[in-house]
């Protein structure tokens, strides 16, 4: 990443935001309490997905700015 940034002539001090994820509000809402009842997945996949989603939201909830439109 640093090589690309340097090649583009971008100084680190000028970077104000880094976008990691585009997240629709509906997607964020789903991951608060995911329902996999209509999906066939082997165990422990559903529980692992719920755990990872929960940890992600706990860590980044205050930094997410979900969008409402498609």
């Amino acid at each position: 990443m640093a090589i690309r940034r340097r090649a583009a002539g971008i100084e680190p001090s000028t970077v104000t935001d880094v976008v990691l994820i585009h997240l629709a509000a509906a997607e964020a809402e789903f991951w608060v309490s995911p329902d996999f009842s209509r999906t066939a997945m082997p165990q422990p996949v559903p529980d692992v997905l719920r755990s990872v989603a929960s940890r992600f939201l706990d860590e980044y909830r205050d930094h997410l700015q979900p969008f409402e439109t498609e």
Side-chain angles (χ1 to χ4, degrees):
M1 176 101 162
I3 294 170
R4 290 185 199 151
R5 179 190 46 76
R6 273 184 271 161
I10 299 170
E11 292 299 319
S13 61
T14 65
V15 177
T16 59
D17 296 286
V18 176
V19 177
L20 300 175
I21 284 181
H22 291 215
L23 184 68
E27 182 78 11
E29 185 178 319
F30 171 82
W31 286 108
V32 168
S33 182
D35 176 12
F36 300 118
S37 63
R38 294 184 246 161
T39 306
M41 285 187 266
Q43 285 297 336
V45 174
D47 294 335
V48 170
L49 288 174
R50 284 185 190 94
S51 174
V52 170
S54 177
R55 288 192 324 241
F56 176 87
L57 289 172
D58 288 347
E59 182 73 24
Y60 296 104
R61 183 181 318 274
D62 294 338
H63 302 288
L64 295 175
Q65 294 182 353
F67 57 89
E68 297 295 328
T69 58
E70 295 180 18

